Amino acid sequence: MWLPVFRHGLTALLVCLALLMPCLAQAYDALILLSRRDPGYDEVLRGFRATRTITQRVLILSDYSEADIVRIVREDRPGVVLAMGDKALAAARGLRQTPVVAVMSLSIRERRNNLPNLSGIDMFAPPEQFLRLFRDMKKHRIGVLDDPARCAWYLRRVRQLAQ
């Protein structure tokens, strides 16, 4: 007598679980890619979180030997990808549909032409601002640590304006 009831109860339980499974799936508004653990990235992330309460997933790329960001985005479908740092921006290079916002990356200028879904905050301030500041400080000799592969164009512009 109790076996048919148990069978129907088990069937009802399985149907309820099947209906609830999409609700249990991990969905979020933003996938946050951090190149590495860094206090500067934490500060930017704190400011990002302060603007709005959103659901998010944070991946620190230095913790993984290789992360397939395209697969993660395809499966999880976040609304936006926030890439912090050059390594995070490079990991997001295969994304075509999902908007990518890059911050704290020197290579955003190079990639912006190739990726129409990329936007972000450029790390380079106009050289006129720096030159005005140095002139007000009465400084004539200024040393610069640079990476020629990433910012040679910027230093050429600074030299032209300084002359």
Side-chain angles (χ1 to χ4, degrees), residues 40-146:
Y41 292 162
D42 292 339
E43 188 67 29
V44 171
L45 193 53
R46 198 172 8 267
F48 180 73
R49 288 175 176 156
T51 59
R52 249 175 117 171
T53 304
I54 59 170
T55 56
Q56 60 194 350
R57 178 179 176 188
V58 178
L59 284 177
I60 301 170
L61 298 175
S62 63
D63 292 350
Y64 301 95
S65 61
E66 190 173 315
D68 190 359
I69 303 304
V70 175
R71 181 188 59 78
I72 291 170
V73 168
R74 185 177 57 242
E75 290 175 359
D76 295 350
R77 300 223 180 262
V80 67
V81 173
L82 178 64
M84 290 190 190
D86 287 324
K87 186 176 178 182
L89 183 57
R93 73 181 171 275
L95 302 176
R96 298 288 179 241
Q97 301 297 324
T98 306
V100 177
V101 178
V103 294
M104 310 236 354
S105 174
L106 291 173
S107 58
I108 187 171
R109 252 177 217 272
E110 303 160 5
R111 299 187 190 273
R112 192 176 280 160
N113 297 336
N114 301 336
L115 300 173
N117 60 330
L118 175 65
S119 65
I121 301 169
D122 201 349
M123 293 284 292
F124 296 103
E128 297 85 12
Q129 291 178 352
F130 287 116
L131 293 174
R132 188 175 325 116
L133 177 69
F134 292 138
R135 187 178 54 239
D136 292 346
M137 293 170 52
K138 297 184 179 13
K139 301 294 177 188
H140 302 287
R141 294 183 54 115
I142 301 159
V144 178
L145 297 174
D146 70 295

